[in-house]
Amino acid sequence: MAKKAHRMARILIIDDNAEIRLILAEVLDEAGYTTVTAPSGKHAIDFHLDAPVDMVITDIFMPDTDGLEVIYQFRRRFPDVKIIAISGGGARGLTELLTVAKRMGAQRTFMKPFEWQEILNAVAELVPPAADTV
């Protein structure tokens, strides 16, 4: 019991844009979270099975397995994992897919470009820092 209260939340960041993956991981690491990253949703379930995560931050448009499939799989198999969906699809007029992501179970959605502080606030709300969990 006490062990879990002191464990830092693990966050899986899935985005085919390496720069976004790296910056998001850096921002979250500095905020005290443990992060792992993946370039697509193809192995997201395997990552979780090998080392469970508390949250998934997933892009919607990716090669192999897209973010909607990631959301579907996590909601079906791991309903307690928190999910944030992000997308740059607005440039293609596909903003409605973030609405679909929310309906599928993403707790928060953000259109790229977003403010890093917005993501940090959402993460802190959904998976509070370890010091706040008892």
Side-chain angles (χ1 to χ4, degrees):
M1 284 187 286
K3 185 179 179 185
K4 185 166 181 138
H6 298 290
R7 183 179 65 81
M8 289 296 179
R10 281 180 48 85
I11 301 172
L12 172 57
I13 301 164
I14 309 168
D15 198 309
D16 58 326
N17 182 318
E19 186 178 359
I20 290 177
R21 260 195 335 267
L22 294 173
I23 294 172
L24 193 48
E26 186 177 298
V27 166
L28 291 167
D29 289 342
E30 286 177 12
Y33 296 96
T34 301
T35 59
V36 288
T37 64
S40 82
K42 187 174 184 179
H43 301 291
I45 297 296
D46 294 334
F47 277 117
H48 181 69
L49 291 172
D50 289 344
V53 298
D54 301 290
M55 172 179 279
V56 172
I57 298 176
T58 184
D59 188 18
I60 297 295
F61 295 101
M62 296 180 291
D64 299 324
T65 304
D66 68 24
L68 295 178
E69 180 64 21
V70 169
I71 294 167
Y72 172 76
Q73 291 294 331
F74 271 85
R75 278 296 145 257
R76 190 169 65 84
R77 297 178 65 184
F78 313 107
D80 293 338
V81 173
K82 305 298 185 203
I83 299 173
I84 293 177
I86 58 178
S87 178
R92 292 176 265 187
L94 299 172
T95 56
E96 69 274 2
L97 287 180
L98 284 177
T99 301
V100 172
K102 197 154 202 159
R103 287 189 188 133
M104 290 178 69
Q107 281 85 6
R108 298 285 183 286
T109 60
F110 294 95
M111 182 61 63
K112 296 176 188 174
F114 45 76
E115 295 293 325
W116 298 111
Q117 192 59 50
E118 289 179 306
I119 297 286
L120 280 173
N121 292 345
V123 170
E125 183 182 322
L126 294 169
V127 288
D132 295 342
T133 58
V134 181

